[in-house]
Amino acid sequence: MNNIKKNRLKDQAFKIWGIGCTFLGLILLCIFIGSILIDGIQRIDWEFITNLPSRKAERAGIFTALMGSVWILVLTTIIALPLGIAAAIYLEEYAKKGRLSSLLEINISNLAGVPSIIYGLLGLEIFVRILEMGASILAGSFTLALLILPIVIVSTREAIKAVPKSIRDASFALGASKWQTVYMQLLPASFGGILTGVILALSRAVGETAPLIVIGALAYVPFAPATPLDEFSVLPIQIFNWISRPQAGFEVNAAASIIILLAITFTMNAIAVYFRNKWQAKLK
Amino acid sequence: METKIKSAVIDPSIKKKHKLEAKAVKVYYDGFTAIKGIDMNIKANKVTAFIGPSGCGKSTFLRLFNRMNDYVDGFRMEGEILIDGENIYKKKVNVEQLRKQVGMVFQKPNPFPKSIFENVAYGLKIQGINDKKYLLERVEESLKQVALWDEVKDNLNKSALALSGGQQQRLCIARTLAVEPSIILMDEPTSALDPLSTAKIEELIYQLKNQYTIVIVTHNMQQAGRVSDYTAFFYMGELIEYDSSKKLFTNPEKKQTENYITGRFG
């Protein structure tokens, strides 16, 4: 009798504890977003987005950093997507299961765990110096592409793996080659899953700061970049720069930029979720 | 048993009607022996059923005829499989070409997550055929062969996954027929279907045997009796008995066969 009561009490206690844990993160996030909104929302207008940087806080805009981020995002996608998907297809469909493939697998997981600043150093040496790209958008994109490559590979493999074996069987039994099966069945069927992984990887890339600082991205760029070989800044670096200024006006600017950056990543995540749901519905 | 099977082979008048031949076939999976040496001949334009308890090797044996075991890790085989007298396990054999000649229908209906039209046209498209009019003709013809045309002709662009299980399986058969194979392998094609759909598939098999050589694996003895001309009983990786279905089901030679078909084990 007493024991049952005790158990029930424990049960209740754990439930409350669990609810607390679940909401703690969310509450902190809400407080953070709330305070940022209060600080920065009044600063956001069209001019803030389209203005070039300025020494005066009230005239400074994020245009160059935003364009830098967009450039980086597009180029990183163009570089990482074919590499990552091809590697994933090879590992999942072509590679013979054996020591070599498990070695590759372990090391790809290891790569995913390498701190991003290390990628920055790698990028600095290979892309900026050896390949003489300079502190350009191209060098930054290659560096970030390396950074997200493991994520793209792992999520693409998961998406391909999720296509039922019966689809492969059916395709092979009709006389399709491996490549035809990959191209006409597996990729279309796993498209949503691949896209989800890629978008999540990119939303990480868009928030990366450290590796770009290491390769020499600038905090102050007078004009928006026009070619991939131009110098650049990105939103997180811009935020970092503004935060570290003494004038109060720049703090407001930083808060406003954070809102824009968050809006970009949240939108990307929402698109990822949308595709994932749509894709799951398709595979029933 | 050996002599019994061999004597059926030796008769010269029927020799050339052997569509499929297995010679001393053994199959290993990582050391495990799945098929322990089978010799068998399968006649053209007949339905041959493979029966036997789960794990007896009948599905593995069936999958040898279109080399679907090739992708299984650890698969190794000895012996020869001949189709129209040609060894299909020779080095220079084009496996894709072989599979166009030997179609396969699987246990669970497995349509592609694409439209009905795309499902049936797929086998032709991968051969590089893109003539829309020809594709449409072949799709219609194939769907008519499986008696599905009237049910889907207005919805060819609808997803194949929206069809019922029985319709999906007939679609899968139509997809196979569209490639114009001469042999169709069926791996328990009705085990996931309701009795009504099963009856339709059986009816279909009966009609198809005029044009195709059909080999069907089934767990359902009544089905083997109904649809097949010949039946082979497999047990523990060996071919125990192979005879006309009538003979095998009414007067089997082997005690094991009798025990199995009367439901005493398996």
Side-chain angles (χ1 to χ4, degrees):
Chain A
M1 182 62 198
N2 205 13
N3 229 348
I4 292 174
K5 243 185 192 164
K6 225 161 126 190
N7 277 339
R8 231 177 244 166
L9 209 69
K10 273 187 193 163
D11 209 29
Q12 278 299 318
F14 183 76
K15 196 170 148 194
I16 291 163
W17 171 246
I19 292 172
C21 292
T22 311
F23 280 95
L24 184 68
L26 277 177
I27 290 166
L28 286 177
L29 186 68
C30 285
I31 292 172
F32 167 67
I33 291 177
S35 73
I36 287 292
L37 280 175
I38 292 166
D39 286 349
I41 194 81
Q42 85 277 5
R43 183 69 183 83
I44 293 181
D45 52 21
W46 190 241
E47 287 194 340
F48 179 67
I49 293 172
T50 56
N51 271 3
L52 297 173
S54 164
R55 273 183 299 121
K56 294 193 180 104
E58 61 275 15
R59 283 185 47 201
I62 56 166
F63 189 66
T64 53
L66 185 65
M67 282 301 115
S69 280
V70 170
W71 267 105
I72 286 277
L73 208 56
V74 172
L75 281 181
T76 304
T77 312
I78 292 173
I79 297 163
L81 211 63
L83 285 177
I85 292 178
I89 290 172
Y90 169 75
L91 286 173
E92 202 53 44
E93 298 296 320
Y94 287 84
K96 283 229 157 57
K97 306 276 172 279
R99 215 182 266 164
L100 181 70
S101 72
S102 42
L103 196 73
L104 284 173
E105 255 166 64
I106 291 168
N107 280 305
I108 286 169
S109 308
N110 281 343
L111 280 181
V114 171
S116 61
I117 196 153
I118 308 287
Y119 281 97
L121 292 169
L122 182 74
L124 178 67
E125 190 56 34
I126 295 181
F127 302 122
V128 178
R129 293 193 182 143
I130 296 177
L131 296 175
E132 294 180 350
M133 292 177 188
S136 63
I137 293 175
L138 198 61
S141 301
F142 270 110
T143 307
L144 288 185
L146 281 186
L147 178 77
I148 65 167
L149 204 53
I151 312 174
V152 174
I153 293 174
V154 170
S155 59
T156 303
R157 287 189 66 184
E158 290 305 318
I160 293 175
K161 212 183 277 181
V163 179
K165 188 176 167 294
S166 63
I167 300 293
R168 291 175 182 78
D169 280 348
S171 180
F172 289 139
L174 286 166
S177 65
K178 220 163 207 181
W179 171 242
Q180 284 173 323
T181 303
V182 167
Y183 184 71
M184 295 173 82
Q185 298 297 343
L186 302 184
L187 283 183
S190 57
F191 179 72
I194 294 173
L195 208 61
T196 308
V198 169
I199 293 171
L200 290 179
L202 286 173
S203 69
R204 166 152 183 220
V206 84
E208 273 302 337
T209 324
L212 295 180
I213 290 179
V214 172
I215 68 155
L218 302 170
Y220 173 79
V221 183
F223 299 105
T227 76
L229 290 171
D230 288 347
E231 295 184 315
F232 69 104
S233 184
V234 289
L235 280 174
I237 293 178
Q238 181 76 76
I239 293 167
F240 179 66
N241 174 258
W242 276 341
I243 287 269
S244 44
R245 298 239 191 145
Q247 299 96 321
F250 282 111
E251 241 168 65
V252 178
N253 283 0
S257 321
I258 290 171
I259 296 173
I260 305 266
L261 185 59
L262 280 179
I264 293 172
T265 42
F266 285 179
T267 310
M268 287 170 74
N269 289 358
I271 295 170
V273 170
Y274 171 77
F275 275 111
R276 187 170 57 208
N277 291 345
K278 211 178 139 183
W279 171 66
Q280 273 168 352
K282 204 177 152 196
L283 276 178
K284 74 191 163 169
Chain B
M1 175 198 83
E2 280 286 288
T3 51
K4 171 90 191 126
I5 294 163
K6 287 269 162 65
S7 70
V9 177
I10 288 160
D11 184 353
S13 65
I14 57 166
K15 172 97 184 179
K16 65 169 183 277
K17 283 193 176 170
H18 290 148
K19 190 76 185 167
L20 302 168
E21 291 169 72
K23 287 184 180 171
V25 170
K26 288 182 184 174
V27 171
Y28 306 92
Y29 290 125
D30 285 327
F32 166 76
T33 314
I35 307 276
K36 296 171 183 165
I38 291 182
D39 288 276
M40 188 180 192
N41 298 302
I42 292 170
K43 283 191 183 150
N45 293 66
K46 298 285 179 197
V47 178
T48 305
F50 291 178
I51 61 167
S54 299
C56 68
K58 57 193 189 308
S59 279
T60 297
F61 192 60
L62 183 81
R63 284 162 171 263
L64 289 175
F65 294 113
N66 64 344
R67 294 189 56 169
M68 282 299 275
N69 291 326
D70 286 18
Y71 299 120
V72 180
D73 285 327
F75 165 79
R76 191 165 64 81
M77 117 167 217
E78 286 170 13
E80 288 181 353
I81 299 277
L82 311 179
I83 294 182
D84 295 324
E86 286 286 316
N87 182 4
I88 61 167
Y89 280 87
K90 268 193 309 204
K91 269 233 167 76
K92 60 178 179 187
V93 167
N94 180 331
V95 180
E96 282 86 40
Q97 204 58 44
L98 165 77
R99 291 188 184 136
K100 281 163 198 160
Q101 198 199 336
V102 188
M104 186 165 215
V105 178
F106 296 85
Q107 191 169 355
K108 255 177 72 187
N110 55 352
F112 301 124
K114 293 173 184 282
S115 72
I116 293 168
F117 176 86
E118 288 298 331
N119 262 278
V120 184
Y122 181 70
L124 298 167
K125 282 192 170 175
I126 57 177
Q127 295 178 34
I129 300 168
N130 282 312
D131 178 0
K132 193 88 186 158
K133 204 171 142 241
Y134 176 74
L135 286 177
L136 205 61
E137 264 171 38
R138 285 298 301 147
V139 169
E140 178 174 347
E141 215 174 303
S142 308
L143 287 171
K144 276 180 175 163
Q145 270 182 290
V146 300
L148 196 58
W149 176 251
D150 288 330
E151 294 162 53
V152 302
K153 64 182 172 195
D154 301 321
N155 295 315
L156 288 180
N157 291 320
K158 224 170 75 175
S159 168
L161 298 178
L163 297 173
S164 75
Q167 287 175 320
Q168 285 187 4
Q169 194 62 305
R170 276 185 285 154
L171 179 73
C172 291
I173 297 175
R175 182 173 71 183
T176 306
L177 298 180
V179 191
E180 299 184 296
S182 61
I183 299 160
I184 301 175
L185 310 173
M186 297 185 169
D187 192 355
E188 299 184 44
T190 61
S191 64
L193 304 182
D194 62 273
L196 210 67
S197 305
T198 300
K200 278 188 182 165
I201 302 274
E202 286 180 8
E203 170 72 23
L204 184 59
I205 292 170
Y206 190 78
Q207 286 166 8
L208 291 175
K209 76 173 175 186
N210 293 322
Q211 299 171 56
Y212 306 92
T213 302
I214 297 174
V215 186
I216 176 171
V217 166
T218 177
H219 264 295
N220 182 332
M221 241 90 60
Q222 284 77 22
Q223 181 171 66
R226 280 192 302 264
V227 302
S228 69
D229 303 293
Y230 295 90
T231 297
F233 171 60
F234 292 79
Y235 185 63
M236 305 272 282
E238 284 178 280
L239 178 60
I240 305 298
E241 189 163 353
Y242 177 35
D243 215 322
S244 77
S245 302
K246 210 170 166 185
K247 172 86 169 38
L248 191 128
F249 282 108
T250 54
N251 189 16
E253 296 274 328
K254 299 271 170 184
K255 190 77 189 153
Q256 275 170 305
T257 315
E258 194 185 332
N259 286 345
Y260 183 71
I261 60 176
T262 52
R264 249 167 259 163
F265 81 98

